[in-house]
Amino acid sequence: MPTMKFANIILEANQRSVSYPDLYCRSDQPVIFDDHEGEWAMYRAGLYDFNTYFNSLSVMKLRRYTRSTGYTLHLELRGADCTVTQTMGDAFAVHPIPVNEVEFHVAASDTWQGLDIPLKVKDDMVLIGFNIETQGRVYIRNGYYALDYEGDERPVELALATTTFKKESYITHNIGLVRRKIVESGEDIADHFHMYVIDNGRTLDAPALASERIQIIPNDNVGGAGGFTRGMLAAMDQKPRATNILLMDDDVDVSPESIKRTYNLLRILKPGYEKAMISGAMLNYEVGEDQWEDIGYMTPEGTFSPCKPGLRLVLFEDLIYNELFKPNKVMKANLYAAWWYCCIPLSVIDKNGLPLPFFVRSDDAEYGMRCKTPFITMNGLCIWHMSFHERYNAAVERYQTTRNTMIAKATTGVARRSDFMHELHNNIRLELKKFGYQNAELCLDAFEDFLKGPGFFSQIGKAEETFLRANRVKEQLVDFDQLQRQLDADPETKGLRLNQIDRQLIDGDKPRTTLERLEDYVTDNGQRYLKTEGKGYAVIPLLGWVYPAGAIRGKNKLIVLDWYNRKGAVRVKDPERYARIKKRYARDLRYYRANIKRISRDYAHDRARLTSQGFWRKYLKMD
């Protein structure tokens, strides 16, 4: 029966591993990197647990998705006496449980001793791993899990596509990692791998960064959707043709081991999962042990949502939960995998067509819901990404998301039960209550552009044009120094000092009585019917989905702060502008009700054209 090296035991020397060592090894003594031949020292006598996010083996999922039949742990050790014991976790485990039948004593030695330990697997095991109990300092190197598998290995040609726009520090770092750890690794993946960097900003030094298996492709600024599609077409055109393409954001920190494991997983998939998408998790760039999402779904209310709650990946019970989680019926109807790390078979692209030309936002969600493949997730497959609240952009959230979700539903029929009109109404009303008039108008810009039909948004250059316009007309933030000068010049806010504000004030709210709630609902915070001028000011967060109703009621000014980026703006109550926006919205709704059936037919009729290679090659100026 054939055997393959599936997953390396990884111990890394970087800021993340130092800050969150329990992602790799839990121990009661230090684990120290020794730069001599890539070895690590388990520094003193103690217990070192490797049943962790990166160094456990997901046997339940491997048995479900692959043709694996046997599991072996390879270790190379030297130093003091030690004992290696297999551990496991079942559905209710909160700590790794020793498998006492698999225990190996290693005598003290100054020379390297190689171990190949057959691991015991039972039906109730979700994760397996190992611990090492040492009697003194022990060095470890070249550890990995090997799998026996049935049948022949699938031929895999893996392409990695990443789209970048003037984010040189992120992308050059990731190119360097891929070159050192994958292209030059000497492992099987090195001969079956290509990386395509789609440079939408045309700022990268291609000759310095490119190599035989790493290609820099200068591209017009067509956003993430256009960039990833350019990568898909490159993967189709390469010789030999790629079998799978891994889409990955540029502004992420990647573990090359995740890419290696993805490649190895593809090689031994069962026939029923050969068309599955592999979805890597988004871990928090700032809090590296926190998982935000690995698969998401479109809610009935028309919003994007992770399927799983936030998880702490240094907790063993959360590792078990992560593996066992099953989407419910509502989630299953509208599942997607985000393109911060998503591996798609090219056969799926051949069958379902290319993405829609959205520029940014909703392209990945629409595509996942359209293709309706199985989704594979697994501990250890991930990237680290900036969390969304730290990069809130109204041009994206109010224009792109509003427009693109409506286009997606009309064109390819995804998310049929999601009410995007409800979401539009909710967002407009929320912005108006918070005096965010520019952002409410962005929602209407998006709605009206949707109503123009497929011929409008699919014009060459229109995606960039509309996105740049949305960025120009959105609420403009200024840095704290300039904001303080604005506050000082206004008698109503002159006493407010930004350096005396903290997050407790920014994120705080005040209670409301039932009568006050009713009044706010009817008058939209004093802007219709019983109009009030408002008095004083409140300090609130920038985030569009936040509604500090008690803090803002009855106020004339709102100081909106993006505390993470140290920017903000002053909003002033303007009932006349409110009335103009409401009138415009009512006019748009009348047009929508009278024409939506025709508009939807136009979008659906254009589906084949918009997702075809012919359209995209012309759109990307490849022909």
Side-chain angles (χ1 to χ4, degrees):
M1 185 170 291
T3 299
M4 68 179 297
K5 177 181 172 182
F6 178 76
N8 293 298
I9 305 301
I10 56 172
L11 293 164
E12 297 182 318
N14 53 38
Q15 182 179 357
R16 182 178 60 249
S17 62
V18 172
S19 300
Y20 309 102
D22 285 7
L23 290 171
Y24 305 88
C25 177
R26 303 182 196 89
S27 60
D28 55 10
Q29 297 295 331
V31 181
I32 307 297
F33 177 65
D34 187 330
D35 202 22
H36 178 66
E37 297 186 6
E39 60 192 53
W40 288 77
M42 293 174 279
Y43 201 68
R44 299 189 185 96
L47 184 65
Y48 299 83
D49 173 21
F50 291 84
N51 202 331
T52 58
Y53 180 72
F54 280 114
N55 289 324
S56 61
L57 192 64
S58 301
V59 288
M60 181 194 72
K61 288 191 171 179
L62 287 170
R63 296 175 74 193
R64 178 188 304 163
Y65 298 132
T66 76
R67 291 172 278 115
S68 59
T69 58
Y71 312 89
T72 301
L73 172 65
H74 175 83
L75 294 174
E76 294 178 18
L77 305 171
R78 70 175 175 89
D81 281 2
C82 64
T83 301
V84 180
T85 305
Q86 180 186 336
T87 60
M88 58 81 74
D90 59 16
F92 302 106
V94 294
H95 301 289
I97 301 167
V99 181
N100 293 320
E101 306 98 299
V102 184
E103 183 176 286
F104 283 76
H105 176 73
V106 183
S109 174
D110 291 332
T111 60
W112 289 103
Q113 301 183 71
L115 301 176
D116 288 292
I117 304 173
L119 300 171
K120 189 178 185 65
V121 175
K122 296 181 179 179
D123 290 343
D124 64 340
M125 293 181 179
V126 178
L127 298 175
I128 60 173
F130 64 99
N131 64 41
I132 303 177
E133 186 171 8
T134 68
Q135 303 305 313
R137 186 175 305 179
V138 174
Y139 291 87
I140 180 173
R141 71 176 187 185
N142 295 339
Y144 60 83
Y145 293 104
L147 307 185
D148 301 331
Y149 59 93
E150 295 176 334
D152 296 328
E153 182 182 306
R154 296 180 64 234
V156 173
E157 294 291 334
L158 179 61
L160 167 63
T162 183
T163 302
T164 189
F165 183 79
K166 298 181 180 180
K167 293 179 180 176
E168 289 83 353
S169 61
Y170 282 104
I171 196 64
T172 55
H173 172 71
N174 286 337
I175 291 172
L177 275 179
V178 168
R179 177 181 289 109
R180 294 191 305 273
K181 301 295 186 179
I182 295 179
V183 175
E184 299 172 358
S185 67
E187 298 183 42
D188 189 81
I189 187 175
D191 295 325
H192 303 280
F193 176 86
H194 284 81
M195 181 179 189
Y196 299 103
V197 180
I198 314 303
D199 181 14
N200 281 355
R202 297 177 179 263
T203 57
L204 297 179
D205 185 352
L209 296 171
S211 65
E212 181 184 356
R213 294 192 174 272
I214 299 175
Q215 183 177 350
I216 314 298
I217 302 177
N219 205 43
D220 287 348
N221 186 19
V222 286
F228 283 128
T229 303
R230 182 66 181 85
M232 291 177 180
L233 292 170
M236 292 176 179
D237 293 343
Q238 75 176 43
K239 305 296 182 185
R241 189 179 197 257
T243 58
N244 301 77
I245 184 165
L246 174 57
L247 307 179
M248 188 175 74
D249 273 351
D250 60 339
D251 55 344
V252 301
D253 197 1
V254 62
S255 172
E257 178 65 19
S258 293
I259 300 174
K260 294 178 184 178
R261 293 180 187 181
T262 298
Y263 170 76
N264 290 332
L265 189 60
L266 293 171
R267 296 160 68 192
I268 55 172
L269 287 175
K270 290 178 179 176
Y273 293 101
E274 290 177 355
K275 297 187 184 302
M277 293 187 192
I278 299 175
S279 179
M282 172 186 167
L283 275 55
N284 188 340
Y285 195 91
E286 288 74 28
V287 187
E289 65 190 29
D290 288 355
Q291 177 176 295
W292 288 88
E293 180 181 320
D294 58 6
I295 48 173
Y297 75 107
M298 184 67 72
T299 70
E301 294 77 25
T303 60
F304 304 103
S305 177
C307 292
K308 300 175 183 177
L311 299 175
R312 290 188 63 204
L313 300 178
V314 295
L315 301 177
F316 192 68
E317 61 264 40
D318 280 12
L319 299 185
I320 296 292
Y321 184 98
N322 211 22
E323 296 291 278
L324 284 174
F325 181 89
K326 296 178 181 178
N328 61 34
K329 185 177 180 180
V330 173
M331 295 174 182
K332 284 181 179 180
N334 292 308
L335 284 178
Y336 62 83
W339 286 355
W340 51 65
Y341 189 108
C342 178
C343 188
I344 306 174
L346 260 68
S347 60
V348 169
I349 300 173
D350 293 336
K351 177 182 177 182
N352 295 281
L354 293 162
L356 291 171
F358 280 158
F359 198 78
V360 295
R361 193 50 62 92
S362 308
D363 47 354
D364 49 4
E366 184 279 326
Y367 201 73
M369 290 186 287
R370 185 205 312 177
C371 295
K372 295 190 179 300
T373 68
F375 293 93
I376 296 175
T377 65
M378 189 175 289
N379 285 338
L381 304 182
C382 68
I383 50 85
W384 286 263
H385 201 299
M386 295 286 284
S387 55
F388 295 118
H389 76 274
E390 291 157 3
R391 51 195 182 99
Y392 181 83
N393 182 350
V396 172
E397 302 299 337
R398 294 304 186 231
Y399 179 81
Q400 292 289 147
T401 300
T402 301
R403 185 197 70 172
N404 294 349
T405 50
M406 292 182 174
I407 291 174
K409 185 174 184 178
T411 306
T412 61
V414 300
R416 290 187 180 277
R417 297 183 180 179
S418 295
D419 189 350
F420 297 120
M421 291 301 295
H422 172 273
E423 179 68 359
L424 171 68
H425 181 76
N426 182 65
N427 288 337
I428 291 174
R429 191 164 193 184
L430 187 57
E431 292 290 0
L432 291 177
K433 285 183 177 182
K434 297 190 296 182
F435 314 153
Y437 305 113
Q438 290 159 291
N439 297 337
E441 288 170 340
L442 273 180
C443 292
L444 291 178
D445 290 344
F447 187 37
E448 290 165 5
D449 283 353
F450 161 71
L451 295 174
K452 292 174 184 176
F456 174 77
F457 93 104
S458 63
Q459 297 174 54
I460 295 176
K462 187 61 68 176
E464 181 184 18
E465 176 190 321
T466 54
F467 183 65
L468 292 176
R469 180 188 178 278
N471 273 290
R472 287 195 304 271
V473 303
K474 72 179 182 181
E475 178 178 54
Q476 299 301 311
L477 307 180
V478 298
D479 61 41
F480 276 5
D481 289 340
Q482 185 175 347
L483 181 61
Q484 185 64 64
R485 290 194 292 271
Q486 292 179 14
L487 297 173
D488 291 341
D490 185 342
E492 196 167 16
T493 58
K494 188 173 183 180
L496 176 62
R497 307 302 304 170
L498 291 175
N499 60 10
Q500 295 177 0
I501 292 175
D502 57 23
R503 285 184 57 196
Q504 182 178 359
L505 175 62
I506 298 170
D507 295 336
D509 199 3
K510 296 178 181 179
R512 295 180 297 166
T513 66
T514 301
L515 184 60
E516 288 172 337
R517 289 173 181 270
L518 179 61
E519 180 184 333
D520 291 344
Y521 175 79
V522 171
T523 69
D524 274 355
N525 198 10
Q527 297 178 91
R528 66 174 180 174
Y529 306 138
L530 301 174
K531 297 180 183 179
T532 59
E533 291 185 2
K535 295 180 180 180
Y537 63 83
V539 179
I540 66 171
L542 171 71
L543 299 176
W545 49 80
V546 174
Y547 179 41
I552 68 174
R553 76 177 314 271
K555 297 295 187 289
N556 180 54
K557 291 185 173 71
L558 298 178
I559 318 304
V560 184
L561 297 183
D562 175 1
W563 61 264
Y564 183 86
N565 295 298
R566 297 176 179 268
K567 292 180 180 292
V570 179
R571 297 177 181 174
V572 182
K573 188 175 187 178
D574 188 345
E576 292 184 1
R577 189 171 184 181
Y578 167 92
R580 291 196 300 271
I581 293 171
K582 293 287 286 186
K583 184 177 181 180
R584 177 185 171 189
Y585 182 31
R587 181 198 67 200
D588 289 347
L589 286 176
R590 287 194 296 271
Y591 183 86
Y592 169 83
R593 296 184 185 109
N595 294 278
I596 186 57
K597 290 184 179 179
R598 172 187 58 80
I599 293 168
S600 296
R601 284 196 302 268
D602 290 345
Y603 276 108
H605 181 266
D606 235 13
R607 169 181 175 166
R609 180 182 73 90
L610 294 173
T611 60
S612 69
Q613 286 196 45
F615 166 82
W616 271 106
R617 290 183 186 274
K618 182 178 180 181
Y619 188 87
L620 297 170
K621 302 177 183 177
M622 296 173 65
D623 292 338

